[in-house]
Amino acid sequence: MAVRELICISCPLGCPLRVETDGAGKVTAVTGNTCKRGEAYGRKEVTAPTRTVTSTVLVAGGQSPVVSVRTKGDVPKDSIFAVMAVIRETEVPAPVALGDVLAENIAGTGVDLIATCTVGKREE
């Protein structure tokens, strides 16, 4: 049996979780949570951790040189470096609108990269 101690990030309470697994990595117990979201977070974090990735992408001809972006959903934690490599190589033309998909299925994760603000076209 293995034990992992985590702080839950599902809500503002930040409960201290204790996640127990059997020898095969299957979760046998989650304790310390005060809500059901904490139990779900503990199970997911130990078996298949994911994260939302946030960054910026270059904008060609924009009023701002970059636009803030995020993944539309969570990506597997072990794919973050591949996602960031694609983001670093991405440049989009202005204008960019809030919610625009800037990269579909980024790094083969099945998750799109979207703009989180609007960047207008630079007036020449």
Side-chain angles (χ1 to χ4, degrees):
M1 177 177 75
V3 175
R4 288 216 20 217
E5 294 188 8
L6 310 166
I7 300 297
C8 182
I9 60 171
S10 292
C11 76
L13 292 178
C15 297
L17 301 180
R18 180 179 170 94
V19 182
E20 297 177 15
T21 58
D22 63 10
K26 182 181 177 189
V27 175
T28 57
V30 177
T31 56
N33 55 300
T34 56
C35 68
K36 291 181 181 181
R37 291 188 310 181
E39 180 177 357
Y41 170 78
R43 289 180 180 279
K44 182 178 171 186
E45 185 64 17
V46 170
T47 58
T50 59
R51 298 290 185 272
T52 297
V53 177
T54 61
S55 188
T56 57
V57 166
L58 293 171
V59 178
Q63 292 172 334
S64 174
V66 294
V67 62
S68 59
V69 297
R70 71 172 175 85
T71 52
K72 193 169 183 176
D74 291 348
V75 298
K77 194 173 175 184
D78 60 359
S79 297
I80 291 174
F81 288 111
V83 167
M84 287 304 301
V86 173
I87 289 172
R88 279 191 298 275
E89 296 173 1
T90 301
E91 183 174 348
V92 296
V96 178
L98 172 69
D100 281 355
V101 174
L102 305 182
E104 293 181 349
N105 187 23
I106 191 163
T109 61
V111 178
D112 295 340
L113 185 71
I114 61 170
T116 59
C117 69
T118 297
V119 175
K121 193 169 185 176
R122 181 176 54 232
E123 295 182 25
E124 305 278 331

